[in-house]
Amino acid sequence: MANPAETTAKRNASLAPMLSVRNGAKAVEFYKSAFDASQIFRIDAEDGAVVAQMSIGESQFWLADESPEHLNFSPETLGGATARMVMVVEDPDSAFARAVGVGATVVRPMTDEPYGWRIGRIVDPFGHHWEIGKPLE
Amino acid sequence: MANPAETTAKRNASLAPMLSVRNGAKAVEFYKSAFDASQIFRIDAEDGAVVAQMSIGESQFWLADESPEHLNFSPETLGGATARMVMVVEDPDSAFARAVGVGATVVRPMTDEPYGWRIGRIVDPFGHHWEIGKPLE
């Protein structure tokens, strides 16, 4: 039988990715303009490094300037990304076009995929990849 | 004035990270045992590659076998991770100990940080980093 306290703790767990970037301050502005993200919390260090908590709809993510000494590497430093963001929106074609319009690069155009999604993929100016789509009706 | 259709679309947006790993099948089992994650969707390809959608509490993430030809790199391939997962739970000390007990490695032990969180950091056997914590009372 489930332990009720443990079940409550699990239900209340939350998870959000923290993206490492070069130039966090610019990244905040990019994600606002590309994805209509909102900044909900931010720390600016004296050296200009930024830690920011962002929201897109009801989901949240973080971004922070990279610090290789703490094992936080930007995609620019490593030459690729080890996680990509999957964004589900009601109008993925518009969201995709908006992001490309402000500087994202198309990796795979919006396509109806055989696995039942309409989805496309972009890479942002900081090297992070985003798949934007929704399940087909 | 906000466009009501656009506002609804934004509210309904959702975001989930997709972690690239070597050996997705093993990663699914690890995340179940380390984080009490549930597998909610999974595709197994003929070559053994896995794409899996997982949940921890009310949050979701994906994992998939890496495919460098599609720009999906595991931390093992790149020698580091470009995103880390921030997990907020009611009892971070227990969650941290559980993950370490099944094979995660401590990067930074659980500590009361001056910025008002009790938090620690681990790296999992696939090279992804997780910060596990909660705001201090």
Side-chain angles (χ1 to χ4, degrees):
Chain A
M1 200 169 75
N3 173 333
E6 194 173 294
T7 302
T8 301
K10 185 180 175 191
R11 191 177 61 237
N12 292 340
S14 76
L15 192 65
M18 169 92 79
L19 307 179
S20 296
V21 294
R22 288 189 187 163
N23 204 331
K26 272 195 184 169
V28 167
E29 296 313 309
F30 175 80
Y31 294 134
K32 284 180 183 174
S33 63
F35 302 133
D36 199 19
S38 302
Q39 175 184 296
I40 54 182
F41 175 78
R42 173 170 173 161
I43 301 173
D44 287 83
E46 284 184 13
D47 64 1
V50 167
V51 177
Q53 185 180 20
M54 310 292 294
S55 67
I56 295 176
E58 294 178 353
S59 296
Q60 295 182 3
F61 69 103
W62 296 76
L63 68 89
D65 277 275
E66 70 175 339
S67 54
E69 68 276 25
H70 298 113
L71 305 178
N72 303 320
F73 301 99
S74 72
E76 291 177 270
T77 293
L78 295 187
T82 57
R84 56 195 189 274
M85 300 299 118
V86 179
M87 190 192 302
V88 180
V89 292
E90 291 187 1
D91 184 353
D93 287 78
S94 293
F96 191 91
R98 175 179 176 151
V100 172
V102 296
T105 301
V106 176
V107 175
R108 213 175 47 239
M110 291 297 304
T111 312
D112 288 352
E113 295 286 356
Y115 52 84
W117 280 62
R118 180 161 180 78
I119 196 161
R121 179 168 171 165
I122 56 173
V123 55
D124 69 37
F126 309 91
H128 287 288
H129 288 244
W130 301 73
E131 296 202 68
I132 302 175
K134 69 171 182 181
L136 290 167
E137 305 285 299
Chain B
M1 200 169 76
N3 173 334
E6 194 172 293
T7 302
T8 301
K10 185 181 176 190
R11 189 176 63 237
N12 292 340
S14 76
L15 193 64
M18 169 94 77
L19 307 179
S20 296
V21 296
R22 288 189 188 162
N23 204 331
K26 273 195 183 169
V28 167
E29 295 312 309
F30 175 81
Y31 294 134
K32 284 181 183 173
S33 62
F35 301 133
D36 199 19
S38 301
Q39 175 184 297
I40 54 182
F41 175 79
R42 173 169 171 161
I43 300 172
D44 287 82
E46 283 182 15
D47 64 0
V50 167
V51 177
Q53 184 180 20
M54 310 292 293
S55 66
I56 295 178
E58 294 178 352
S59 296
Q60 295 183 4
F61 69 103
W62 296 76
L63 68 88
D65 277 275
E66 70 175 341
S67 55
E69 68 276 24
H70 298 114
L71 304 178
N72 303 321
F73 302 99
S74 72
E76 292 176 89
T77 294
L78 294 187
T82 57
R84 55 196 191 273
M85 300 299 118
V86 179
M87 190 192 301
V88 179
V89 291
E90 291 187 0
D91 184 353
D93 287 79
S94 292
F96 191 91
R98 176 179 176 151
V100 172
V102 297
T105 301
V106 176
V107 176
R108 213 174 49 238
M110 290 296 304
T111 312
D112 288 351
E113 295 285 357
Y115 52 83
W117 281 62
R118 180 162 180 77
I119 196 162
R121 179 166 170 166
I122 56 174
V123 56
D124 69 38
F126 309 91
H128 287 287
H129 287 246
W130 301 73
E131 296 203 67
I132 302 175
K134 69 171 181 179
L136 290 167
E137 302 286 301

